[in-house]
Amino acid sequence: MCRKLFVAATGQNCGKTTISVSLMHLARRKYGRVGFMKAIGPKCVTFNDVPMDKDAVLMAQIYGLAEDRRLMSPVVLTKGSTKRFIDGELAPATAIEKLREACNELEAKNDFLIIEGAGHGGVGSVIGLNNAQVAKLLDAPVVMVAGGGIGNVIDSVRLNMGLYEREGAELRMLLVNKLIPEKRASSLGYLQKAFAGSGIQVAGAFDYSPVLANPTLHNLARRLGQPLKGDATQQHRIAHHIQLGAASSQVVIDGLQHSTLLITTSSRDELLVTTASLYHIPTYREKIAGLVIPGHTAISPVTQKILDESGVPYIRIQETTAQVFTKLLDHVSKITADDHEKLELLQSTAETYLDFAAIDALL
């Protein structure tokens, strides 16, 4: 009989997909056949000619599940889907049937099935299938992922709990993610006290990790919609800091931290040349992750030649510095199948921080 687990979250950016990737890794160490399903897919892409949620695609790519792609994302919300549901052109009953059929097929093929929700508990309500309803429909016990802290975790979990209780879904564990290392034991202790008697186990997930949280140059290029130029072997380098090159060249260079992404307008020839030249020096190469060069002014031919010959990774974009800086600050790094360094770190760290035996015992 297939064991099932519904991975929920208190909201966006809690690390739900990171937890799902980790649980897939841990489950595969114990069970021969492990499947994945993103029940309601709000972020549609096309993978091997099949419309799927991007999180389902991620799992298919990482764990070689492409043959199950038609089952892994049974209900995908494409552009205009929500309006069509509200207008009655699409029926919730059809979505329910798709979920049941996909889940039944995956259960028949696997020993362990991870079903990932979308966002907070209420996501999916527009089509009559929020996360709590899906968990109940598929008869899958719920593990809820929350961000770090104490008060905000309690508030967000309580806000979501009411919905799961109303729908009769079984919330069995709270996984607290992105914990501050030096406060980990204390935070978990207080949260265990706060939820004592609720029937919900409280366990720790990952400590906050800049390596996992910060974007790679490849991620940033995709975010800006422009190619990464320069040394292509550096595309998976992680940018730990973002710095605006607005001061004098000397001040900017002195302010570089480890693996800094420097945003420098195309008119700052002296700073571009200085940065490209320093990239050859190992000490500065550790500090310079790459450049983003915004602006409508063309880069001078001499500066362009120095940039290209240096090999420094850079992204050229025809937008203002302010627009680019805002985009990057608002960007939340999401792991991709190409982030091999991050994936290896995530999977090895999961073996230490996630108690899969305790999670498995809940099922």
Side-chain angles (χ1 to χ4, degrees):
M1 183 177 177
C2 181
R3 301 166 78 78
K4 290 180 290 186
L5 174 67
F6 188 92
V7 181
T10 55
Q12 287 186 312
N13 305 326
C14 293
K16 173 170 49 60
T17 299
T18 299
I19 294 295
S20 293
V21 170
S22 303
L23 290 176
M24 283 288 295
H25 169 69
L26 296 174
R28 285 161 62 95
R29 298 177 72 203
K30 179 175 180 179
Y31 295 99
R33 303 173 302 167
V34 181
F36 177 86
M37 183 171 76
K38 179 81 171 189
I40 305 294
K43 296 179 180 178
C44 180
V45 295
T46 299
F47 176 63
N48 290 359
D49 300 321
V50 176
M52 297 174 63
D53 184 84
K54 65 181 186 62
D55 290 337
V57 173
L58 175 67
M59 294 296 183
Q61 292 175 323
I62 295 173
Y63 293 111
L65 303 175
E67 66 176 31
D68 290 333
R69 61 191 183 279
R70 296 185 187 278
L71 304 174
M72 293 174 66
S73 200
V75 179
V76 182
L77 301 182
T78 56
K79 187 176 181 180
S81 290
T82 54
K83 292 180 180 178
R84 293 174 67 195
F85 270 103
I86 295 171
D87 287 335
E89 296 176 24
L90 296 175
T94 302
I96 289 171
E97 189 60 29
K98 286 182 177 180
L99 284 171
R100 281 181 172 152
E101 289 179 357
C103 189
N104 288 339
E105 286 193 50
L106 286 171
E107 283 186 69
K109 297 182 64 172
N110 294 288
D111 304 306
F112 196 96
L113 176 62
I114 294 171
I115 304 166
E116 184 179 312
H120 57 73
V123 172
S125 296
V126 70
I127 66 169
L129 280 170
N130 62 46
N131 283 293
Q133 290 170 317
V134 172
K136 177 63 176 177
L137 174 72
L138 303 181
D139 193 26
V142 179
V143 169
M144 183 175 289
V145 181
I150 298 175
N152 64 310
V153 172
I154 295 170
D155 293 346
S156 59
V157 172
R158 292 291 182 187
L159 184 63
N160 281 269
M161 275 178 64
L163 187 58
Y164 284 88
E165 289 172 352
R166 189 186 75 184
E167 299 298 339
E170 295 186 54
L171 176 54
R172 297 187 181 177
M173 177 178 279
L174 170 63
L175 274 178
V176 189
N177 202 28
K178 300 182 181 180
L179 289 157
I180 298 173
E182 58 269 25
K183 296 181 179 180
R184 181 184 180 91
S186 174
S187 296
L188 289 175
Y190 278 107
L191 289 170
Q192 286 163 355
K193 287 181 182 179
F195 290 101
S198 66
I200 301 172
Q201 291 189 31
V202 177
F206 296 106
D207 289 342
Y208 175 77
S209 167
V211 174
L212 295 177
N214 293 331
T216 63
L217 295 178
H218 174 70
N219 294 145
L220 293 168
R222 289 183 62 185
R223 167 64 174 166
L224 295 176
Q226 299 295 328
L228 180 67
K229 299 181 180 180
D231 186 357
T233 66
Q234 297 298 303
Q235 64 176 319
H236 298 304
R237 182 169 179 179
I238 298 166
H240 293 295
H241 303 278
I242 296 177
Q243 182 176 329
L244 191 60
S248 69
S249 295
Q250 187 64 56
V251 170
V252 171
I253 297 303
D254 287 345
L256 290 173
Q257 301 179 70
H258 172 64
S259 204
T260 295
L261 179 76
L262 185 60
I263 303 175
T264 306
T265 185
S266 57
S267 62
R268 291 289 306 273
D269 290 282
E270 83 290 351
L271 183 52
L272 291 172
V273 169
T274 300
T275 306
S277 301
L278 291 174
Y279 191 69
H280 293 290
I281 303 173
T283 301
Y284 283 99
R285 196 177 185 120
E286 291 180 4
K287 294 182 178 182
I288 302 167
L291 288 162
V292 175
I293 309 173
H296 299 290
T297 302
I299 299 173
S300 72
V302 173
T303 300
Q304 186 66 62
K305 182 176 176 60
I306 294 171
L307 272 175
D308 293 336
E309 290 181 350
S310 73
V312 62
Y314 70 93
I315 302 166
R316 178 74 173 102
I317 183 168
Q318 299 289 326
E319 292 188 17
T320 67
T321 300
Q323 288 171 324
V324 169
F325 194 59
T326 300
K327 277 187 179 181
L328 296 185
L329 286 183
D330 289 344
H331 177 55
V332 177
S333 177
K334 299 291 187 182
I335 201 163
T336 72
D338 294 324
D339 292 336
H340 303 296
E341 178 187 345
K342 283 191 176 186
L343 284 169
E344 289 175 7
L345 175 62
L346 178 63
Q347 291 168 340
S348 62
T349 306
E351 295 172 14
T352 300
Y353 281 90
L354 291 181
D355 188 349
F356 180 74
I359 295 171
D360 193 29
L362 293 175
L363 312 182

